[in-house]
Structures are given as structure tokens and as C-alpha cells.
């Protein structure tokens, strides 16, 4: 089973994040004023999901297709010993501990406008 979350405000208007086997786990609202930039909303909606599907690339692409490119929004999840990080239109997939691949994803996030302090997905 794969679990993750996506911030509701990170989705493009009119976009849908959907994939076979995708189920909602929880929806919560968080005051992210300490984390949000001036261009981002202060309140974020965390949509926690799970999937028993085995199409990891399809799931990651569904996220990449739904994310808003402004402000460098991303979503990430773990599959076994791999981390998957999806930005709008771009997906990174690497093994835990692969510092070079992680650095490549972080560099892309910077170039896409992700605030430095938000490039903090777990290893």
C-alpha cells in the first residue's frame, strides 16, 4: 500500500488528482502562516490518500499533471526503498540515500520556484 498527501491549494484550478485504487484517508486544514510565502495561501488543506494500485509511475504522473506550476508546489511519497517527488509536469524517483538524485530533485524545485525552506521532504 502507498500512502501520501497532497495540499489541496497546490492543485491547478480545474485539475483532478485521480488514479485507479486511490482512496481518501483524511482531510485536514492547517494554519501554515509560518511556512507559507506571500504568494501562497496561509491556510492549507492536507488531503491524505492511499492506494493499493501498483502503477507507481501512473500515480506520480497523475500528481504531476494536477499540480499548479506557480510557487513550485510538489507532492511526495515513499514506495519501498524509493522516494517519489512530483512537481507540476516533472517526476523524480530515487532510492533512499541517493544524495545525488535527491540533490537533482531539490535543484529542480528551486528552479521551479519552490521556497528553500519547503524543500524538506523526508529521506
Amino acid at each position: 500500500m502507498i500512502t501520501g498527501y497532497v495540499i489541496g491549494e497546490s492543485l491547478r484550478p480545474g485539475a483532478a488528482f485521480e488514479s485507479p485504487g486511490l482512496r481518501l484517508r483524511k482531510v485536514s486544514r492547517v494554519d501554515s502562516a509560518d511556512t507559507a510565502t506571500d504568494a501562497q495561501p496561509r491556510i492549507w488543506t492536507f488531503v491524505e490518500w492511499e492506494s493499493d494500485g501498483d502503477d507507481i509511475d501512473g500515480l506520480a504522473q497523475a500528481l504531476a499533471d494536477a499540480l499548479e506550476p506557480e510557487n513550485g508546489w510538489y507532492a511526495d511519497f515513499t514506495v519501498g526503498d524509493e522516494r517519489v517527488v512530483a512537481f507540476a509536469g516533472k517526476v523524480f524517483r530515487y532510492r533512499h540515500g541517493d544524495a545525488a538524485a535527491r540533490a537533482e530533485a531539490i535543484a529542480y524545485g528551486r528552479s521551479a520556484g519552490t521556497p528553500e525552506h519547503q524543500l524538506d521532504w523526508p529521506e
Side-chain angles (χ1 to χ4, degrees), residues 70-120:
E70 294 293 319
N71 300 310
W73 291 104
Y74 71 89
D76 66 291
F77 58 93
T78 297
V79 179
D81 66 346
E82 287 187 309
R83 171 66 57 184
V84 179
V85 184
F87 293 91
K90 181 81 170 167
V91 174
F92 293 87
R93 190 172 172 179
Y94 61 90
R95 291 195 180 282
H96 294 288
D98 185 339
R102 179 182 171 87
E104 182 181 350
I106 288 172
Y108 180 84
R110 284 186 192 115
S111 74
T114 308
E116 188 71 31
H117 67 280
Q118 292 177 8
L119 294 166
D120 61 349

Side-chain angles (χ1 to χ4, degrees), residues 3-28:
T3 60
Y5 70 90
V6 63
I7 297 170
E9 290 73 19
S10 72
L11 300 176
R12 283 183 300 102
F17 168 49
E18 54 190 341
S19 181
L22 190 66
R23 290 181 302 278
L24 180 67
R25 292 182 69 179
K26 178 180 163 185
V27 177
S28 57

Side-chain angles (χ1 to χ4, degrees), residues 53-69:
D54 58 359
D55 183 6
I56 306 308
D57 293 330
L59 182 60
Q61 192 60 53
L63 279 166
D65 290 346
L67 289 169
E68 170 66 52

